[in-house]
Amino acid sequence: MYRQLYDWFRRAIIDGQMRPGQRVPSTRGLAAELKVSRIPILNAYEHSGAFRMSLPALEHFPIGVWAKLVARHARRPPKGIMAYGDAMGYLPFREAIAEYLGAVRGVRCQSSQILVTTGSQQALQLSAQVLLDPKDRVWLEEPGYPGARQAFMTAGAQLIPVPVDHDGMNIKEIIRRGSDVRAVYVTPSHQYPMGLTMSATRRMLLLNWAARSGTWIIEDDYDSEYRFGSRPIASLQGLDTDARVIYVGTFSKVMFPALRLGYMVLPKDLVSAFSAAREAADIFSSTLYQAVLTDFIREGHFARHIRRMRMLYMERRRSLVNAIQIQMGDTLEVIGAEAGMHLVALLPPGTDDVAVSMKAVQMGISAMPLSTCYLEPPKRCGMILGYGGANPRQIHDGIRKLRMSVRGH
Ligand SMILES: Cc1ncc(COP(=O)(O)O)c(C=O)c1O
C-alpha cells in the first residue's frame, strides 16, 4: 500500500500536478480520507527525498521547546513584538549572535555591527546592492554556490570564476591576474560544494591582498557548526585586521530553513549603508522569531541541539560513505572534509551528471548535479548529496537508486 501511495505522489510530481513547496495532506487527514491506517502513509512520506540539499534532520528538532517559547513571547505585552522594529534587528538577538560568534567562530565584533537578515541569501543580495556597481568585477569560487552567483548578477556585476583546489580558492591565481576587483566571495570553512577547507596560508594571502588592493571579502560561513573529525576552523573575519571582511551566517542549517533568519557582521564603516539598504528592502525581520530564538540560544537549547545534530550528521555521513563504498565504490569518489550536511561524489569523467540527476528524480531521489555549480564549462562531474535530512535506511535505498540511475540496473 505504501508503494502505491508513493508511486502516486511521484507521478504527480513528474507530471507537474504537484509543485515544489506545495503542501501534501497531513498523514492523519489522508489516512482518514482513504480509510487506511497511518502506517503506510508515514512509510510513503518517509520513502522519498533522500539527498535533498540543505535539508536538516527536521524530525529531530526540539519542536516542543520551540513551541513553548513561541507561546511565551506571543503572550507578552504586544508592543515589543508587534510594533515596527530596528532595520539592523532586535538588539537582544544581535547581542546573543555577537557572543555566540565570538565564542564559537572567533569572530571579533560588537552587536552594533550585526545586521539580522532574512537568511543568508538576503545578506548576499544586500552585499551586491551596497558594494557593487554595474560591471564591477567579482571573483567567485569555481565550482561555487549558485545562490551567490544569482545575487551578484542582479547587481550587473562581472562574475569571474577562480578555480578551487585541495587548499580552497586559488588565491595566487587572483594575485597573478591582478586586475581591479571589487569583491571576492568565499566559503573558506567548508567550500561549497566541494567541501574543502581553505588553508591557513591561503587565508593570510587573501587577507593581505584584500588589504593592499582595497577589495571586499564576502565570507559565507553557512555550515561551519558541523565539523566531525577536526576542531572548527576559525573564521577569516577573526584574522582580518583591515576591516575588509563581510561575514555572512545563517540559521537555516542549524535551526530550519523556513525560519528565514540569518545575519551579517559588517565592518563599522559599512553599517549605515547596509542599514539603509535593509530599510529600503523590507524594513526588518519578524521580531517574534528573533525574540524566540534569543531565548532558545540564551537558555542553552541551541548549543544542545547543535551538539546532538553534530553526532547525528556524523553518523549519517558515515552511512552515506559506507553505502557508496559498498554499492558504488568503483563508480563514485567521495571528496571533501568530514563536515557539513552534504558531500560531493565524483562520477567518472565524461558522465552526464544532469542526465543522472534527472533519472534519479524519476526514482524519487533528489541529487544535484555538480556541473550546475560551474560558471564555465564544467571540469568535473558528480553528484552533490545532502545527508542531513535522510536516515540510514533512506541513504542505503537512495544509493541503490542512484546506482540504477548511473548504470541503468
Ligand atoms: C553556501 C550557502 N550559502 C548560503 C545558503 C543560503 O541559506 P539561507 O538563505 O537559507 O540562509 C546556502 C543554502 O543552502 C548555502 O549552501
Side-chain angles (χ1 to χ4, degrees):
M1 198 178 287
Y2 92 79
R3 187 78 224 183
Q4 282 178 34
L5 282 162
Y6 169 75
D7 285 342
W8 186 89
F9 276 110
R10 190 167 66 92
R11 204 57 278 150
I13 292 166
I14 294 169
D15 295 346
Q17 283 165 270
M18 292 199 76
R19 293 177 309 280
Q22 184 177 335
R23 278 180 70 121
V24 294
S26 71
T27 52
R28 220 177 278 282
L30 193 59
E33 198 179 317
L34 299 177
K35 300 193 175 49
V36 296
S37 100
R38 270 176 82 208
I39 309 261
I41 294 169
L42 284 168
N43 277 337
Y45 278 18
E46 218 193 58
H47 201 64
S48 50
F51 308 141
R52 269 180 58 192
M53 278 301 295
S54 309
L55 186 69
L58 298 177
E59 73 284 12
H60 289 269
F61 184 75
I63 195 72
V65 172
W66 181 254
K68 263 192 208 138
L69 295 179
V70 172
R72 182 200 289 172
H73 280 278
R75 277 197 301 267
R76 283 216 176 127
K79 220 166 157 191
I81 56 160
M82 292 173 86
Y84 276 99
D86 187 334
M88 293 293 286
Y90 178 63
L91 187 58
F93 185 45
R94 291 157 64 203
E95 286 166 349
I97 294 172
E99 251 175 65
Y100 166 72
L101 292 178
V104 176
R105 304 295 306 124
V107 168
R108 288 183 299 172
C109 69
Q110 292 160 358
S111 53
S112 58
Q113 291 168 262
I114 306 260
L115 167 61
V116 175
T117 59
T118 304
S120 46
Q121 191 60 32
Q122 186 183 42
L124 300 177
Q125 184 69 40
L126 289 175
S127 302
Q129 194 186 327
V130 173
L131 303 177
L132 304 176
D133 288 320
K135 303 235 166 25
D136 273 352
R137 295 153 74 91
V138 180
W139 300 108
L140 296 114
E141 296 160 325
E142 173 85 335
Y145 179 51
R149 217 154 64 196
Q150 279 165 359
F152 300 133
M153 250 165 5
T154 60
Q158 270 190 67
L159 309 187
I160 304 173
V162 181
V164 295
D165 59 24
H166 54 277
D167 280 337
M169 192 185 224
N170 191 339
I171 311 298
K172 283 206 176 126
E173 178 72 17
I174 297 190
I175 297 171
R176 195 182 60 75
R177 292 193 210 167
S179 50
D180 131 50
V181 178
R182 189 83 178 125
V184 181
Y185 168 82
V186 272
T187 50
S189 308
H190 189 226
Q191 201 273 330
Y192 186 97
M194 301 305 253
L196 306 149
T197 304
M198 188 185 275
S199 67
T201 317
R202 291 264 172 101
R203 284 164 194 256
M204 291 323 294
L205 271 177
L206 178 59
L207 287 168
N208 290 338
W209 172 79
R212 278 200 313 276
S213 56
T215 305
W216 297 113
I217 300 173
I218 301 165
E219 175 180 20
D220 185 350
D221 211 15
Y222 64 103
D223 70 359
S224 54
E225 285 83 0
Y226 299 131
R227 286 197 82 82
F228 312 133
S230 52
R231 282 157 55 89
I233 314 277
S235 63
L236 265 185
Q237 197 273 1
L239 301 172
D240 174 23
T241 49
D242 294 272
R244 303 312 306 170
V245 176
I246 291 126
Y247 178 92
V248 172
T250 181
F251 288 102
S252 289
K253 317 252 173 181
V254 277
M255 295 290 289
F256 51 92
L259 188 57
R260 303 315 299 140
L261 282 176
Y263 47 87
M264 2 187 19
V265 181
L266 299 165
K268 288 184 182 146
D269 287 352
L270 291 180
V271 167
S272 59
F274 272 85
S275 170
R278 178 68 204 266
E279 185 114 33
D282 59 348
I283 314 185
F284 69 108
S285 293
S286 158
T287 309
L288 174 64
Y289 289 112
Q290 296 186 67
V292 173
L293 188 45
T294 308
D295 284 1
F296 194 81
I297 296 171
R298 291 275 183 226
E299 294 177 17
H301 306 296
F302 186 63
R304 193 171 315 121
H305 180 56
I306 291 177
R307 274 200 305 277
R308 287 180 52 228
M309 291 305 101
R310 196 177 287 138
M311 296 302 290
L312 186 81
Y313 295 151
M314 186 167 77
E315 282 163 22
R316 290 185 170 186
R317 187 180 199 280
R318 202 172 292 153
S319 295
L320 177 55
V321 173
N322 272 344
I324 290 174
Q325 272 165 2
I326 294 167
Q327 302 191 54
M328 297 189 78
D330 54 348
T331 316
L332 293 181
E333 181 196 346
V334 172
I335 56 166
E338 297 201 350
M341 290 162 53
H342 76 268
L343 58 76
V344 167
L346 295 176
L347 281 160
T351 313
D352 181 349
D353 57 6
V354 175
V356 171
S357 168
M358 304 272 278
K359 279 197 202 139
V361 167
Q362 289 176 12
M363 304 193 74
I365 64 166
S366 143
M368 195 168 135
L370 175 63
S371 58
T372 56
C373 292
Y374 283 85
L375 205 56
E376 289 185 334
K379 295 234 167 38
R380 301 174 107 173
C381 55
M383 307 315 298
I384 310 176
L385 305 175
Y387 50 80
N391 64 35
R393 196 172 56 72
Q394 290 167 323
I395 287 173
H396 276 269
D397 191 50
I399 289 298
R400 187 178 57 78
K401 289 179 176 160
L402 189 62
R403 192 186 63 210
M404 288 161 76
S405 312
V406 175
R407 298 190 192 154
H409 58 85

